[in-house]
Amino acid sequence: GDSWISTKNKFDWTPEGVDEAIQVTFDLIDNKLPNGQAAERIGYLIALHDFNDNSDSLGGNLLIDGNPKEGTAVHLDYPGSDGRPLGTLGTTGYAPGQNYGVRITNIGSEKFRIEQLVNSFPDEKSIEVKKADLPDGGFGFEYCCGRSFVVDNVVIERIDASPKEDSSLAELKK
């Protein structure tokens, strides 16, 4: 059945200012199952706050289901009877020896863009979610259903909005 290992601390996955972001990254060291075959998925969750709809909070439990061969599927409220797919991130498959993760950026109007990161760079396709989809919650890795892997260097960090150019500096540059 489903099981996961997660942080005890909750994180605010909805940065306050436009263009501010929070991201989680990790090094994928290995993706082999005990029988030596490659894992079918590299699964991790953000805004993790309950298991199988046992919380009053809506949203959250976004499963980022990394595929070794293609883009990454994203599911809201996983596992749960009202869970639903949100779309696909990126186009790059997960392979050992790379750094992966997601970045959630405030794009205004209580909407957030989720991007897959591959070696620190956004990977093509992104999806948008509402603030209600991202309650405060933990981060965790999922183990079940053909998922098995070894990771290192898990980092969760905030990114401030791009600094605005000081008008006095702009005058000096002219």
Side-chain angles (χ1 to χ4, degrees):
D2 283 314
S3 63
W4 53 48
I5 184 169
S6 69
T7 61
K8 288 183 180 182
N9 293 339
K10 291 182 175 184
F11 301 94
D12 180 355
W13 295 97
T14 56
E16 192 170 310
V18 173
D19 294 331
E20 291 182 354
I22 184 170
Q23 69 182 29
V24 58
T25 56
F26 58 89
D27 295 335
L28 181 60
I29 305 301
D30 195 4
N31 69 342
K32 297 288 188 248
L33 297 168
N35 65 8
Q37 293 181 337
E40 294 175 22
R41 299 280 188 273
I42 310 299
Y44 53 102
L45 298 110
I46 61 172
L48 182 59
H49 68 89
D50 72 4
F51 185 82
N52 205 19
D53 295 330
N54 65 0
S55 169
D56 293 336
S57 296
L58 300 176
N61 287 8
L62 269 80
L63 171 64
I64 314 297
D65 211 9
N67 187 323
K69 297 179 181 162
E70 56 192 36
T72 297
V74 179
H75 301 273
L76 178 66
D77 197 20
Y78 179 90
S81 60
D82 57 345
R84 62 183 168 91
L86 292 181
T88 303
L89 296 175
T91 58
T92 303
Y94 280 49
Q98 307 295 321
N99 181 273
Y100 297 98
V102 292
R103 179 181 297 146
I104 299 99
T105 304
N106 183 332
I107 57 175
S109 301
E110 296 198 350
K111 293 184 181 177
F112 297 83
R113 179 179 55 244
I114 301 178
E115 300 170 288
Q116 174 170 274
L117 299 175
V118 179
N119 296 321
S120 302
F121 294 99
D123 183 22
E124 298 184 38
K125 294 166 57 175
S126 63
I127 61 174
E128 288 184 14
V129 297
K130 300 175 288 190
K131 183 174 183 168
D133 294 334
L134 294 167
D136 291 357
F139 169 79
F141 288 100
E142 183 191 34
Y143 295 96
C144 90
C145 322
R147 293 173 181 93
S148 181
F149 41 88
V150 177
V151 299
D152 196 9
N153 298 321
V154 177
V155 177
I156 300 171
E157 59 191 329
R158 286 213 174 276
I159 301 169
D160 291 333
S162 300
K164 306 295 185 232
E165 187 171 340
D166 185 352
S167 60
S168 60
L169 280 174
E171 289 299 317
L172 288 173
K173 288 181 182 179
K174 289 181 183 179

